[in-house]
Amino acid sequence: MINDFRYSGNIFLWDTETSSLLKSWEVCELPVRSCKFIARRSQFICASDDMRLRLYNYNTMEKVKDMEAHADYIRFVEIHPTLPYILSSSDDMSIKLWNWEQNWDCTSSFEGHAHYVMMCKFNPKDTNTFASASLDRTIKVWGLGAQQPHFSLEGHDRGVNCLDYYPGGDKPYLISGADDKTVKIWDYQTKACIQTLDGHSNNVCSVLFHPQLPVLVSASEDGTVRIWHAMTYRAETTLNYGLERAWSISAAKESNGLAIGYDEGTILIKLGHDAPVASLDTHTGKVVWAHNNDIQSASLKGVTSDLADGEKLDLLIKDMGSCEIFPQTVQHNCNGRFLVVCGDGEYIIYTSQALRNKAFGQALDFAWSAVGTGDFAIRESLARIKIFKNFKEHRTIKAPISSSEGLFGGACVALKGPDCVVFFDWNEGAFLCKIDVAPKVVYWNETQELLLLVCDEQAFILKYDKDKVDAAIAEDSVSPELGVPGAFEPEHEITDCVTKGQWIGDCFIFSNIAGRLNYFVGGNTMTLCHLDQQSTGPLFMLGFLPKEDRVYLMDRSRNVFSYRALLAVLQYQTAVVRHDFEAANTILPAIPESEHSSVARFLEAQGYKDVALQVSKDPDHKFDLALDLGKLDEATKLLDAAPEQDRDTTESTTKWKRLGDLALANCDLDLAERCASNAKDLAGLLLLHTAAGNRAGISALAANAVLQGKFNVAFISFFILGDVEKCFELLLDTNRIPEAALLSRTYLPSQISRAVRLWREDLRQVSDRAAAALADPVEYPNLFPDLDWALKVEEVFKCNRNKVVPATEYLTAKDDLDLDLVSLMKQTHTDNSLGEKSPIRAKFGSTQKHDTDSSVNQVLSCEATDTKTIDHDVHATPPLKCSVDDEANAILQNDFGNDDDDDDW
């Protein structure tokens, strides 16, 4: 977080990760000149021109303390690193010491300056002393137990505005900036000025030693921020963001962040990179890193056996010594015997065990060979490379590109250009190939057959044909323009942003910018785990130790973390990619069963689904594989073996539906019906039962649908069964009274009056007029012509609805679906009255039996002995003189065939 204070009297709290404003305080109407965090108390203290100190809790935003501190403007406040002390300096030419454990009493006052005291700083190496800068052109060093200064440093021509102590333990240095536009570095032990830095064109307002990098930073009222080398005092760069005067600078202790305060705002920049300077020797399990100029090491062997993934390792750290140059990179050679430290355009090769100097020199870049112990290459200039064999210069290569930007080692020497990378042979320095990508780093596998070119947003895997290169060099057939055609062939592409990685056989394990630990094998990228970076910040991969089955990572504070990655799994997948199934089967027993499911998913991605089905221990994955392979019996066994508590879940239902669809596609109707039943797929059961003509199944389905509230399925099932009474009652039960009335008008005329009465009662709640407009056949028989005939047809239907028509009779029975039974019955009655041949007899001709005609005549000549009495008169219908059963039998026998053919219904 950054605390940003303004001359407006306001204080703003910013989140540096998201660049968002978190909180703000209106302190006073006068300028706030200084503000400091007291992190151990979750507070900050600020000083303003109203001569008061104010203390706030930055979590609750509560003002904790407000006190008058000086008799003039307060310029600066400083927090003691360990004790409950605060220093404040003021234009009243005094410095005061405050103790917050004594109710913020002023325990000491330091006077001795002859002008405004602009700044004061505690000495990090001796926290009982502090230094102050004043416009009287002096820097004074004080002790907390004395009222007078120990000594003064004089040398500036004008007032001193700022100062800072060197944070390291090796140099007793102090830096100051003044109105004479200079920056001075002092040795406070000898009291001598050892360097003066010129370059600013106005007053210098703020200076600091960077806590992580070997640089000095100064800010000036000329609007620039200058960065100087801390060793050579050379001006490295000048920053100007056009935000008017630069007043203050502050560096983060655990990162390379630098905050700069201007007239027009505050900015945050990053100097260099945050990645720790470290190297892991995969042969010995020893990790080496640089902390400023100090080289430290620790062994990772045996320290991760009981730790969970993502836990910090408790390492025994060993100080190996100090390096003469500031390390920017540290790298072991191919067998771990030597270690190179690069920085400031120089390199030093040390023995990795005792840090003894083996070789050194100047170079823009350094790269180890993949084979020789003392073989390496350096980029001496933009156009020249030198190759060393056993630490002795072997060959010089002139770059075939106009400008080079980097150098990579491995099986070949790789020189990076602005838009390409060029490969050379180690022994002869022969040009091998030019590839039109500009990688950030190149990784070779152990067999020197594969290499990975890591670019900004993707990475390319190439196959290296060493035999072809060796043959071309031996035959002296290397083309100066083309190199060795076919030396490198593209294999795969990783569409991910690789930050750091390592080859393990043919498998490449890497961390990406999204905070995931992935590995790539056989054209597929799989996630090993998600890195927990919330509490640690970014994690940077060190490497993989096969004997520990662990991937190691380091944060910016040089803490080491580990995550599990089984070597046996990686070796198995490598064998599968190489189609070495004999080796894969040998490795498989060494893989724990807990990892079999991940191995099975890899096999599935490679197309070996049958093997994946045998290997997998995940029931869900095995079920998916069984479906993909069409193994219905295997899939059914998996579902049957599911625990009882999981059988009614949504996931189980979905699985049964998927299996049912596959069974139906394979014409296994029995299994499809079972799956639909277990999945409670009533619509699927309806389809199956109707297609199979399963009357009992549809009947059971109708009852089940009612119980489950699936009334649409229940209605269709009742309707298919011809049970129109239940369809009618179902509509009434579900308050679908208008639909019930329409159904009765068409299929159940005996219930018309009841439906109309219920409809009227329901409709009266909305409109009496609309309810009165509904016609009841009892009250308005003239509006319902042929109702008596329809009632007789209903009785005929009820008597014969259980008779089914075989599918073999479809061609002859399908036309009967279009018959108008009311008109047919009336026509038969008329024809018999006139003595004409019945249309029914005309239709079936001589194929009808004699008793068919006699039955019709019997129906038409009998007296009215209906078994059902109609409670209303229909004048349009003549009185009938036969029973309903007799007439129904007569119609059926004459219209739908003889007694042998009555199954047509």
Side-chain angles (χ1 to χ4, degrees):
M1 292 186 295
I2 291 179
N3 224 336
D4 176 16
F5 51 93
R6 302 290 180 90
Y7 270 37
S8 62
N10 296 332
I11 294 177
F12 302 97
L13 188 66
W14 299 85
D15 187 328
T16 58
E17 296 294 333
T18 62
S19 300
S20 58
L21 177 64
L22 300 179
K23 299 172 183 176
S24 64
W25 290 262
E26 294 183 2
V27 177
C28 62
E29 296 181 357
L30 298 175
V32 176
R33 293 187 181 269
S34 182
C35 187
K36 288 292 183 70
F37 283 111
I38 311 176
R40 54 189 184 271
R41 293 172 59 90
S42 298
Q43 296 172 345
F44 67 84
I45 188 169
C46 60
S48 55
D49 281 1
D50 60 1
M51 299 167 284
R52 304 185 72 83
L53 291 175
R54 294 176 176 85
L55 188 73
Y56 292 88
N57 185 305
Y58 55 73
N59 289 324
T60 65
M61 299 183 68
E62 174 191 5
K63 183 193 290 185
V64 179
K65 189 73 174 177
D66 186 344
M67 58 186 179
E68 186 173 353
H70 285 271
D72 207 338
Y73 297 164
I74 305 173
R75 294 284 182 170
F76 198 80
V77 289
E78 173 74 351
I79 313 299
H80 195 282
T82 56
L83 299 176
Y85 295 158
I86 290 177
L87 287 173
S88 61
S89 61
S90 169
D91 286 358
D92 63 6
M93 298 179 288
S94 69
I95 305 166
K96 291 187 178 181
L97 180 69
W98 310 84
N99 188 328
W100 66 66
E101 289 187 353
Q102 297 182 11
N103 196 26
W104 291 96
D105 286 345
C106 177
T107 59
S108 297
S109 180
F110 305 91
E111 298 180 356
H113 280 292
H115 211 306
Y116 302 161
V117 184
M118 304 298 289
M119 184 178 285
C120 51
K121 285 276 189 177
F122 281 109
N123 187 342
K125 291 184 286 294
D126 180 8
T127 56
N128 288 322
T129 63
F130 66 91
S132 60
S134 171
L135 293 187
D136 62 7
R137 306 180 185 180
T138 66
I139 301 166
K140 296 185 183 296
V141 178
W142 311 73
L144 292 180
Q147 301 298 315
Q148 299 299 319
H150 294 334
F151 56 88
S152 297
L153 301 175
E154 300 180 4
H156 282 289
D157 296 332
R158 299 188 66 182
V160 185
N161 294 314
C162 49
L163 57 86
D164 192 26
Y165 276 99
Y166 178 71
D170 55 331
K171 296 175 184 178
Y173 286 176
L174 184 149
I175 186 175
S176 63
D179 288 344
D180 59 8
K181 309 173 188 176
T182 65
V183 176
K184 291 183 180 291
I185 294 91
W186 307 82
D187 185 326
Y188 55 78
Q189 289 183 350
T190 63
K191 305 176 183 60
C193 175
I194 61 175
Q195 189 71 35
T196 299
L197 307 179
D198 296 309
H200 286 292
S201 60
N202 209 330
N203 302 338
V204 179
C205 302
S206 184
V207 292
L208 67 80
F209 285 100
H210 197 283
Q212 299 290 326
L213 302 175
V215 295
L216 314 172
V217 187
S218 60
S220 169
E221 291 184 38
D222 61 11
T224 65
V225 173
R226 288 182 173 264
I227 299 176
W228 318 79
H229 197 288
M231 306 295 181
T232 64
Y233 305 113
R234 180 180 67 247
E236 296 289 344
T237 188
T238 300
L239 307 175
N240 191 339
Y241 295 99
L243 298 177
E244 300 299 333
R245 295 172 294 181
W247 290 106
S248 62
I249 47 180
S250 180
K253 292 183 179 180
E254 298 298 335
S255 71
N256 296 345
L258 182 71
I260 309 171
Y262 290 92
D263 277 338
E264 301 296 331
T266 303
I267 66 169
L268 179 66
I269 62 174
K270 183 180 290 186
L271 302 176
H273 56 79
D274 283 338
V277 179
S279 177
L280 173 64
D281 179 14
T282 57
H283 299 85
T284 62
K286 180 180 177 182
V287 60
V288 177
W289 66 87
H291 183 198
N292 294 327
N293 286 74
D294 299 326
I295 306 298
Q296 298 175 319
S297 68
S299 177
L300 301 179
K301 284 188 174 180
V303 299
T304 57
S305 57
D306 299 329
L307 292 179
D309 285 354
E311 286 193 28
K312 176 184 172 182
L313 305 187
D314 187 13
L315 301 177
L316 183 61
I317 299 175
K318 174 185 177 183
D319 289 321
M320 300 183 67
S322 181
C323 183
E324 291 85 349
I325 61 176
F326 185 83
Q328 294 176 338
T329 62
V330 174
Q331 186 181 5
H332 285 90
N333 73 330
C334 60
N335 57 19
R337 291 179 56 189
F338 295 98
L339 180 77
V340 64
V341 178
C342 301
D344 300 329
E346 300 180 55
Y347 70 91
I348 303 176
I349 299 176
Y350 297 97
T351 57
S352 60
Q353 297 299 323
L355 207 68
R356 287 194 296 267
N357 194 322
K358 179 66 176 178
F360 63 91
Q362 293 185 342
L364 299 177
D365 287 299
F366 182 98
W368 287 111
S369 167
V371 286
T373 299
D375 298 354
F376 60 91
I378 62 171
R379 185 167 66 100
E380 194 174 50
S381 65
L382 295 178
R384 190 164 58 178
I385 304 170
K386 280 188 178 180
I387 297 177
F388 291 77
K389 288 281 189 179
N390 197 21
F391 301 104
K392 296 180 181 179
E393 186 174 338
H394 172 68
R395 188 177 298 275
T396 300
I397 302 175
K398 185 177 180 181
I401 53 180
S402 59
S403 178
S404 61
E405 297 180 356
L407 186 69
F408 311 112
C412 300
V413 182
L415 182 65
K416 176 186 175 182
D419 55 359
C420 65
V421 61
V422 184
F423 291 90
F424 302 92
D425 175 63
W426 278 100
N427 294 320
E428 303 299 328
F431 167 65
L432 302 180
C433 183
K434 177 183 177 182
I435 299 174
D436 292 331
V437 296
K440 297 185 297 183
V441 64
V442 176
Y443 295 100
W444 289 83
N445 72 341
E446 295 178 358
T447 62
Q448 302 174 31
E449 296 176 352
L450 297 173
L451 70 155
L452 182 77
L453 306 180
V454 178
C455 301
D456 289 333
E457 297 181 354
Q458 57 192 350
F460 303 95
I461 296 177
L462 307 179
K463 187 173 184 180
Y464 174 59
D465 193 338
K466 189 176 185 301
D467 295 336
K468 181 177 290 188
V469 170
D470 291 343
I473 293 175
E475 298 171 359
D476 196 20
S477 60
V478 179
S479 169
E481 293 81 17
L482 301 177
V484 181
F488 295 90
E489 294 292 340
E491 289 284 312
H492 301 289
E493 179 180 348
I494 301 178
T495 56
D496 204 344
C497 186
V498 178
T499 56
K500 194 74 179 293
Q502 177 183 331
W503 282 101
I504 305 167
D506 289 355
C507 172
F508 185 75
I509 187 167
F510 65 95
S511 59
N512 67 3
I513 198 171
R516 290 194 296 268
L517 194 62
N518 297 338
Y519 63 96
F520 180 91
V521 60
N524 297 289
T525 300
M526 285 161 280
T527 298
L528 188 65
C529 63
H530 291 263
L531 303 178
D532 181 12
Q533 301 184 132
Q534 294 296 323
S535 57
T536 64
L539 293 177
F540 305 91
M541 182 175 164
L542 293 173
F544 172 78
L545 292 183
K547 293 182 180 179
E548 303 291 332
D549 283 336
R550 288 269 172 179
V551 179
Y552 295 89
L553 303 102
M554 182 177 279
D555 66 5
R556 292 180 296 199
S557 301
R558 293 169 291 281
N559 298 311
V560 180
F561 305 84
S562 72
Y563 290 83
R564 190 183 185 204
L566 293 178
L567 177 62
V569 173
L570 303 178
Q571 290 176 334
Y572 178 86
Q573 294 177 345
T574 300
V576 171
V577 170
R578 291 181 171 180
H579 303 287
D580 188 355
F581 299 106
E582 183 177 349
N585 292 332
T586 304
I587 298 170
L588 184 60
I591 300 176
E593 287 194 0
S594 60
E595 301 296 326
H596 280 200
S597 296
S598 64
V599 171
R601 290 187 177 88
F602 167 77
L603 291 168
E604 179 188 11
Q606 295 296 311
Y608 305 116
K609 293 184 178 180
D610 51 344
V611 182
L613 181 60
Q614 300 174 20
V615 172
S616 179
K617 302 299 181 183
D618 183 0
D620 295 337
H621 189 213
K622 293 185 72 173
F623 177 78
D624 293 337
L625 291 170
L627 290 189
D628 291 341
L629 295 169
K631 295 185 177 182
L632 301 180
D633 294 339
E634 183 73 21
T636 305
K637 290 178 183 177
L638 289 169
L639 293 182
D640 289 337
E644 187 67 30
Q645 63 270 19
D646 295 338
R647 295 189 177 181
D648 291 332
T649 61
T650 304
E651 183 180 1
S652 177
T653 300
T654 303
K655 288 182 179 178
W656 279 111
K657 288 191 73 173
R658 292 174 59 196
L659 179 59
D661 293 341
L662 185 60
L664 192 59
N666 286 271
C667 299
D668 190 342
L669 299 184
D670 291 338
L671 179 58
E673 181 178 343
R674 183 188 172 197
C675 293
S677 178
N678 289 337
K680 298 179 181 179
D681 183 10
L682 303 186
L685 286 172
L686 179 63
L687 172 65
L688 290 170
H689 291 331
T690 52
N694 186 350
R695 188 179 184 87
I698 295 178
S699 179
L701 174 63
N704 192 19
V706 171
L707 292 176
Q708 295 188 29
K710 304 293 185 181
F711 299 118
N712 55 340
V713 177
F715 181 89
I716 296 174
S717 300
F718 286 137
F719 193 80
I720 291 173
L721 293 172
D723 201 343
V724 290
E725 296 96 324
K726 290 186 178 179
C727 291
F728 178 77
E729 296 297 335
L730 184 64
L731 290 174
L732 293 181
D733 292 341
T734 56
N735 201 31
R736 307 298 290 269
I737 301 175
E739 289 88 339
L742 296 176
L743 177 74
S744 64
R745 182 68 180 91
T746 306
Y747 297 103
L748 204 62
S750 62
Q751 297 294 329
I752 294 177
S753 293
R754 178 187 172 195
V756 170
R757 286 196 299 272
L758 294 174
W759 194 359
R760 283 177 175 175
E761 293 174 4
D762 183 65
L763 196 56
R764 284 194 186 100
Q765 300 176 15
V766 179
S767 172
D768 291 335
R769 184 175 180 181
L774 297 176
D776 188 333
V778 176
E779 302 171 1
Y780 302 97
N782 59 310
L783 298 179
F784 297 87
D786 296 334
L787 183 58
D788 285 339
W789 291 107
L791 290 169
K792 289 185 176 294
V793 172
E794 179 186 341
E795 293 300 323
V796 172
F797 167 74
K798 289 179 179 179
C799 292
N800 295 276
R801 61 183 163 190
N802 290 328
K803 297 179 180 180
V804 296
V805 180
T808 55
E809 301 295 331
Y810 171 73
L811 294 177
T812 57
K814 65 178 182 177
D815 295 334
D816 295 341
L817 297 175
D818 298 327
L819 290 176
D820 185 348
L821 297 182
V822 172
S823 300
L824 182 63
M825 182 173 289
K826 291 169 64 177
Q827 181 64 36
T828 303
H829 173 77
T830 303
D831 291 345
N832 281 298
S833 299
L834 298 175
E836 296 180 359
K837 185 178 181 181
S838 168
I840 300 175
R841 289 195 298 269
K843 175 181 178 184
F844 290 96
S846 60
T847 61
Q848 309 302 315
K849 293 183 180 179
H850 174 72
D851 58 357
T852 300
D853 295 336
S854 62
S855 297
V856 175
N857 294 330
Q858 179 182 0
V859 170
L860 298 176
S861 61
C862 66
E863 295 294 327
T865 57
D866 296 353
T867 60
K868 179 176 180 66
T869 304
I870 303 173
D871 59 356
H872 53 273
D873 295 331
V874 181
H875 301 293
T877 305
L880 298 176
K881 299 183 179 182
C882 61
S883 69
V884 171
D885 291 339
D886 292 338
E887 185 159 345
N889 289 331
I891 292 175
L892 286 172
Q893 292 176 7
N894 283 277
D895 194 32
F896 300 108
N898 55 28
D899 292 337
D900 297 331
D901 296 330
D902 59 4
D903 283 344
D904 289 349
W905 262 76

